[in-house]
C-alpha cells in the first residue's frame, strides 16, 4: 500500500516539476536548465499480468536535447527495488528512445546511501546491469531556514522540510515554511501545507507541523484542522497545540542526545504557554543540556 509520505513525494514533483531546476542548480548537478517539463503516463505494464508503475515519469526538454526523469520515493532499503528500477529504465528507454535518469527521494541518510548504489545486477563473476540512481535526501538537500528564500521557492522549501523530517533542526525549517506560506497565494498555500503534512506523516515533525498550522486555520484545511474546527472549542485547540509543541521539544532534545530529567520532562509537558514552548524549541536545537531551556526564566 502506498503511504501518505510516498504519495506526497511524487505529488510534489508532478504538480511542481520546476522544483527540479532549483534542485539541479542548488546541487550543481550536470543537467542543463529545463525549458519545459511534461508529465508522461507512469503505467509501465506490458501484456503479461504484472503491474509495474513508476511514481512519476517526466520528459524534460533542454537546449541539449530531451531526457526522461523517473521519480521514486523510497522510505527504506528494499532488495526488490533494483530489479524494478532496472525494468523501469530499460522499458522507458526502449519505448521513448530517450535516455532516462532515475531520481530517488529519501528521508534518511542510510536509505539515501543504499539507494545511490551503484546497484549491480548479475552473478558475482559478471555484472550485466548497473542501476545508478540520482538521490535527493537530507545529505544534499539544504535545510532552508531563511523566510525570504522560502517565499521565493516554496516547492524546494517543501521538499527540504520533507527530506529533513528526522533532523534535529526540523523545527526551524517547519517554522520557516509556515511563515512563508502565509505570504503567498492562499490556494497555493493550501496545496503545500497539505503536501507537507502528507510527507511528514505521523512523525514528531508531522505533529509539530500540525500544531504550527493551527495558528492560522483559515488556509489550512487538512484532515487535522477540519477535525479541530468540528470540535469548535478554543480550549481544545490550545491544549492540542501545546501538547504537540511540548512533544517536539522533547523529541528534539532526545534526537540530539540531551539527557532529560523527570522534573524537566514534567515541566515541559505541563507548560500551557505556546510562546514559551516555541522559545524552548529554539533553544533545544543548540542546547548542550536541558537546563539551558530554563536558564533565562525567573
Amino acid at each position: 500500500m502506498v503511504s501518505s509520505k510516498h504519495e506526497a513525494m511524487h505529488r510534489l514533483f508532478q504538480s511542481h516539476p520546476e522544483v527540479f531546476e532549483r534542485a539541479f542548480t542548488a546541487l550543481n548537478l550536470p543537467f542543463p536548465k529545463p525549458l519545459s517539463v511534461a508529465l508522461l503516463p507512469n503505467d509501465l505494464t506490458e501484456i503479461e499480468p504484472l503491474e509495474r508503475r513508476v511514481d512519476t515519469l517526466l520528459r524534460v526538454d533542454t537546449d541539449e536535447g530531451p531526457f526522461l526523469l523517473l521519480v521514486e520515493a523510497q522510505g527504506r532499503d528494499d532488495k526488490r527495488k533494483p530489479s524494478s528500477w532496472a525494468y523501469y529504465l530499460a522499458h522507458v528507454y526502449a519505448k521513448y528512445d530517450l535516455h532516462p535518469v532515475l531520481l530517488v527521494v529519501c528521508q534518511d541518510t542510510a536509505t539515501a546511501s543504499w539507494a545511490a548504489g551503484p546497484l549491480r545486477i548479475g552473478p558475482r563473476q559478471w555484472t550485466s546491469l548497473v542501476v545508478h540512481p540520482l538521490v535527493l535526501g537530507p545529505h544534499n538537500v539544504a535545510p532552508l531556514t531563511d523566510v525570504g528564500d522560502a517565499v521565493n521557492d516554496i516547492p524546494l522549501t517543501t521538499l527540504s522540510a520533507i527530506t529533513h523530517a528526522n533532523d534535529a533542526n526540523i523545527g526551524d525549517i517547519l517554522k520557516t515554511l509556515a511563515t512563508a506560506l502565509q505570504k503567498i497565494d492562499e490556494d497555493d498555500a493550501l496545496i503545500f501545507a497539505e503536501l507537507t503534512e502528507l510527507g511528514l506523516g505521523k512523525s514528531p515533525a508531522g505533529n509539530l507541523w500540525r500544531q504550527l498550522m493551527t495558528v492560522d486555520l483559515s488556509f489550512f484545511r487538512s484532515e487535522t484542522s477540519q477535525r479541530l474546527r468540528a470540535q469548535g472549542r478554543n480550549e481544545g485547540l490550545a491544549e492540542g497545540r501545546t501538547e504537540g509543541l511540548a512533544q517536539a521539544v522533547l523529541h528534539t532534545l532526545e534526537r540530539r542526545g540531551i539527557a532529560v530529567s523527570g522534573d524537566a520532562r514534567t515541566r515541559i509537558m505541563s507548560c500551557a504557554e505556546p510562546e514559551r514552548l516555541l522559545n524552548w524549541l529554539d533553544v533545544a536545537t543548540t542546547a548542550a543540556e536541558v537546563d539551558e531551556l530554563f536558564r533565562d526564566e525567573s
Side-chain angles (χ1 to χ4, degrees):
M1 179 180 295
V2 176
S3 68
S4 59
K5 294 181 182 179
H6 189 279
E7 180 74 13
M9 289 288 192
H10 69 83
R11 276 181 57 193
L12 174 61
F13 288 107
Q14 289 176 351
S15 303
H16 300 274
E18 69 273 13
V19 73
F20 295 118
E21 178 184 344
R22 276 59 170 260
F24 291 166
T25 301
L27 301 175
N28 295 316
L29 296 176
F31 296 101
K33 178 180 179 179
L35 301 176
S36 65
V37 179
L39 183 64
L40 300 177
N42 66 339
D43 190 343
L44 307 183
T45 306
E46 288 293 344
I47 296 175
E48 294 295 325
L50 176 62
E51 183 182 44
R52 296 184 185 273
R53 193 178 299 271
V54 67
D55 288 347
T56 298
L57 176 59
L58 300 166
R59 173 186 168 125
V60 181
D61 289 296
T62 75
D63 284 332
E64 299 179 17
F67 67 93
L68 299 176
L69 193 62
L70 297 80
V71 185
E72 285 274 287
Q74 193 65 29
R76 57 182 175 80
D77 57 343
D78 184 346
K79 64 181 182 180
R80 298 169 298 178
K81 276 297 183 179
S83 61
S84 297
W85 289 344
Y87 175 89
Y88 297 161
L89 292 166
H91 179 86
V92 298
Y93 181 51
K95 181 175 182 178
Y96 294 102
D97 194 25
L98 292 174
H99 287 290
V101 174
L102 173 63
L103 172 64
V104 180
V105 184
C106 304
Q107 285 188 316
D108 64 89
T109 53
T111 302
S113 178
W114 164 81
L119 305 169
R120 304 183 184 278
I121 297 175
R124 176 182 59 80
Q125 297 84 354
W126 191 265
T127 299
S128 297
L129 289 173
V130 178
V131 180
H132 191 193
L134 168 64
V135 178
L136 294 182
H139 65 295
N140 59 3
V141 176
L144 296 180
T145 55
D146 181 85
V147 174
D149 292 340
V151 172
N152 290 332
D153 201 339
I154 295 292
L156 190 57
T157 306
T158 302
L159 177 63
S160 174
I162 294 174
T163 55
H164 286 274
N166 298 319
D167 285 13
N169 65 339
I170 184 61
D172 291 336
I173 300 172
L174 293 181
K175 284 189 286 185
T176 298
L177 178 57
T179 302
L181 290 182
Q182 297 181 48
K183 300 179 182 294
I184 66 172
D185 177 79
E186 183 176 330
D187 290 338
D188 290 340
L190 265 171
I191 294 171
F192 288 107
E194 296 287 359
L195 283 175
T196 303
E197 182 176 8
L198 284 173
L200 296 175
K202 303 297 184 182
S203 66
N207 293 334
L208 173 58
W209 179 249
R210 281 181 280 276
Q211 302 310 318
L212 289 173
M213 288 296 95
T214 61
V215 174
D216 185 358
L217 294 179
S218 63
F219 70 85
F220 189 66
R221 300 168 187 161
S222 67
E223 177 183 346
T224 300
S225 62
Q226 288 175 6
R227 185 177 68 250
L228 292 174
R229 281 198 195 93
Q231 291 175 350
R233 291 194 293 267
N234 291 333
E235 181 180 348
L237 287 174
E239 181 180 352
R241 184 187 179 210
T242 55
E243 181 181 353
L245 289 172
Q247 290 174 347
V249 172
L250 292 173
H251 173 71
T252 300
L253 292 169
E254 290 167 1
R255 288 279 301 176
R256 299 187 60 246
I258 306 298
V260 180
S261 66
D263 289 343
R265 182 178 299 273
T266 299
R267 183 171 179 178
I268 293 169
M269 289 303 300
S270 62
C271 180
E273 302 174 42
E275 290 303 320
R276 175 169 295 184
L277 286 164
L278 285 171
N279 289 335
W280 288 349
L281 183 59
D282 286 336
V283 176
T285 61
T286 58
E289 58 182 9
V290 69
D291 288 344
E292 290 185 29
L293 272 66
F294 319 121
R295 189 159 293 166
D296 295 332
E297 300 179 8
S298 57

